[in-house]
């Protein structure tokens, strides 16, 4: 488990414009800078918000990464639900899903 | 001089970023409450505004995470978030490095605090400022408490930090206002976003308004996580304000607004002797 490294990637992207530029131009090269498992690297390479969520990324990091990827708020919320549906419960951290799949407490 | 004003308010990014998705019947009374808070803040004629917010990884990460941090610069920037996403344009906010340093030196007498000569403001500070000082013309002292990356500082240390802030405020010549920002129960940035435990919130706010130290410090993080979500860890900011103000609180607005992901809260607290 290298959740720390996964989250470090998100932290860097969220606040470093050079990392953002490299994300757009050379994502594999950017990912090489982090010690990620194959699953983590695959999730980041695909922009798979649902899997990144299930892996345990802190929501305050992931929320902004989803916005960076251009996801709307409803799409981001739904992607997390679908991640849990596909991959099971959140595996680490304090951002577990406690509502049911069909609960949309804020209407999205 | 001393502390001349104290209050608390919500800082959820949806309050500005998802304004268009909210029912105006819920949104407008909240915005009006922010405006009343602004009027009361300005009526106290503060020379600087100390904003105690929750760390959201705008400045610190788990490689080096302070429990408490205070900005010490003449200028800050924000928001760190995408301005369109947050609904707040990127701007520059005045600070007062000399004032910060005086405050930090006194706080350090009892609480170890990190200082930061660079500080990027995120929604925790920008959302409140966008209502309270929309022209960004009042110098701020940004303060963060780690409420995100466990291990988190115990609640009694958040109280001690508030006491230290008050002691420091009383020793500088400027008139200072203090605002604590955060959510009460909330599950932000999860599929649960919008879940709000109103009963838990109202109990917390009652304890806060009574300035009941023992009751405020009796929450445990496991209980808070279960009843109020990980967002509930941000009660540390409200607790520090109660410790600093030493007075009774006055709840001015509370309304759960699910699309804003929080029970939206505005309150002031008398500044006690």
């Amino acid at each position: 488990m290298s959740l720390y490294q996964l989250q470090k990637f998100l932290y860097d992207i969220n606040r470093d414009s050079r990392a953002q530029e490299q994300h757009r131009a050379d994502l594999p090269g950017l990912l090489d800078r982090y010690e990620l498992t194959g699953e983590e690297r695959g999730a980041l390479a695909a922009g798979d918000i649902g899997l990144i969520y299930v892996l345990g990324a802190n929501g305050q990091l992931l929320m902004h990464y989803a916005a960076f990827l251009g996801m709307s708020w409803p799409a981001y919320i739904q992607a997390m639900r679908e991640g849990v549906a596909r991959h099971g419960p959140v595996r680490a951290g304090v951002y577990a899903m406690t509502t049911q799949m069909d609960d949309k407490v804020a209407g999205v | 001089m001393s502390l001349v004003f104290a209050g608390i308010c919500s800082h959820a990014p949806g309050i500005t970023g998802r304004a268009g998705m909210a029912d105006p019947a819920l949104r407008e009374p909240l915005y009006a409450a922010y405006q009343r808070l602004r009027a009361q803040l300005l009526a106290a004629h503060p020379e600087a505004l100390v904003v105690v917010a929750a760390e959201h990884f705008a400045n610190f990460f788990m490689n080096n995470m302070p429990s408490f941090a205070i900005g010490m610069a003449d200028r800050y920037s924000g928001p760190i978030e995408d301005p369109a996403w947050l609904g707040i344009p990127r701007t520059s906010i005045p600070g007062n490095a000399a004032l910060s340093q005086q405050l930090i030196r006194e706080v350090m007498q009892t609480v170890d605090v990190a200082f930061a000569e660079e500080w990027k403001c995120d929604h925790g500070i920008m959302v409140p400022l966008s209502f309270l000082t929309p022209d960004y013309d009042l110098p701020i002292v940004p303060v963060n408490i780690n409420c995100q990356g466990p291990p988190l500082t115990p609640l009694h240390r958040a109280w001690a930090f508030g006491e230290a802030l008050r002691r420091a405020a009383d020793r500088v010549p400027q008139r200072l206002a203090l605002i604590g920002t955060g959510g009460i129960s909330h599950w932000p940035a999860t599929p649960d976003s919008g879940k709000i435990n109103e009963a838990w919130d109202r109990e917390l706010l009652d304890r806060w308004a009574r300035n009941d130290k023992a009751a405020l410090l009796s929450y445990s993080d496991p209980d808070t996580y279960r009843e109020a979500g990980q967002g509930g860890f941000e009660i540390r900011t409200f607790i520090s304000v109660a410790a600093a103000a030493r007075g009774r609180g006055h709840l001015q607005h509370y309304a759960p607004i699910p699309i804003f992901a929080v029970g939206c809260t505005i309150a002031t607290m008398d500044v006690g002797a």
Side-chain angles (χ1 to χ4, degrees):
Chain A
M1 176 59 93
S2 49
L3 180 58
Y4 174 83
Q5 291 284 322
L6 170 74
Q7 295 187 112
K8 186 78 184 285
F9 170 90
L10 299 175
Y11 172 74
D12 289 342
I13 283 286
N14 288 345
R15 67 194 311 281
D16 181 351
S17 60
R18 283 173 298 185
Q20 292 170 5
E21 287 166 19
Q22 189 176 3
H23 189 287
R24 295 185 182 100
D26 176 24
L27 179 54
L30 179 62
L31 291 171
D32 285 344
R33 290 164 42 188
Y34 301 86
E35 297 173 26
L36 302 165
T37 66
E39 187 177 40
E40 290 163 343
R41 185 181 173 103
L44 291 172
D48 186 341
I49 292 295
L51 181 52
I52 301 168
Y53 171 64
V54 167
L55 290 170
N58 184 290
Q60 295 293 336
L61 294 164
L62 184 57
M63 175 168 67
H64 301 304
Y65 186 56
F68 170 76
L69 294 180
M71 297 179 78
S72 69
W73 183 256
Y76 153 67
I77 296 290
Q78 187 59 27
M80 289 190 286
R81 281 192 197 102
E82 290 172 3
V84 172
R86 281 203 316 275
H87 303 289
V90 171
R91 300 175 196 169
V94 292
Y95 278 74
M97 175 173 163
T98 67
T99 51
Q100 300 302 306
M101 281 297 164
D102 295 333
D103 289 345
K104 293 189 175 181
V105 287
V108 296
Chain B
M1 181 60 189
S2 182
L3 193 62
V4 297
F5 182 84
I8 55 172
C9 66
S10 300
H11 69 214
I15 291 171
T16 50
R18 296 191 292 283
M21 297 174 74
D23 180 350
L26 291 171
R27 182 189 65 211
E28 293 308 315
L30 170 65
Y31 285 7
Y34 274 113
Q35 292 307 317
R36 289 195 297 276
L37 187 64
R38 164 175 162 75
Q40 294 168 91
L41 171 71
L42 295 182
H45 301 294
E47 295 168 89
L49 173 60
V50 179
V51 187
V52 180
E55 173 61 34
H56 301 115
F57 307 113
N59 294 287
F60 304 103
F61 186 64
M62 277 85 80
N63 60 341
N64 192 357
M65 177 61 76
S67 291
F68 307 103
I70 300 180
M72 195 171 75
D74 285 325
R75 197 143 287 277
Y76 304 102
S77 63
I80 189 172
E81 294 93 341
D82 177 68
W85 182 86
L86 189 60
I88 299 175
R90 201 153 277 156
T91 190
S92 173
I93 303 143
N96 181 335
L99 170 63
S100 283
Q101 187 171 143
Q102 283 182 282
L103 293 172
I104 290 162
R105 285 182 185 280
E106 182 58 37
V107 167
M108 281 176 164
Q109 294 296 327
T110 51
V111 176
D112 296 321
V113 61
F115 62 84
E117 294 196 47
E118 288 183 45
W119 190 289
K120 297 185 181 190
C121 299
D122 68 19
H123 62 269
I125 291 177
M126 295 307 297
V127 170
L129 289 188
S130 73
F131 292 102
L132 300 179
T133 59
D135 297 326
Y136 304 104
D137 50 0
L138 181 63
I140 67 165
V141 176
V143 178
N144 265 5
I145 300 176
N146 172 28
C147 304
Q148 279 296 328
L152 306 179
T153 194
L155 300 187
H156 68 86
R157 296 301 293 162
W159 184 274
F161 182 60
E163 289 182 325
L165 280 177
R166 173 61 185 273
R167 200 181 59 247
D170 286 346
R171 293 190 178 196
V172 298
Q174 291 91 342
R175 299 171 61 86
L176 299 185
L178 172 67
I179 291 283
T181 85
I184 319 179
S185 72
H186 62 312
W187 287 255
T190 72
D192 307 348
S193 178
K195 181 176 168 183
I196 294 158
N197 185 342
E198 181 172 353
W200 197 92
D201 286 357
R202 291 195 180 276
E203 172 65 26
L204 180 286
L205 288 169
D206 184 62
R207 296 181 191 191
W208 185 83
R210 298 196 316 265
N211 210 329
D212 186 335
K213 177 183 177 183
L216 283 171
L217 301 190
S218 70
Y219 293 100
S220 73
D221 280 348
D223 288 348
T224 297
Y225 184 62
R226 188 176 59 252
E227 300 291 327
Q230 88 287 344
F233 296 150
E234 292 182 347
I235 61 174
R236 286 164 171 78
T237 65
F238 290 7
I239 287 172
S240 71
V241 169
R246 302 178 194 150
R248 291 189 70 86
H250 307 280
L251 182 62
Q252 304 197 357
H253 185 85
Y254 175 84
I257 304 182
I259 195 63
F260 291 167
V262 75
C264 295
T265 305
I266 306 279
T268 56
M269 183 169 270
D270 300 332
V271 177

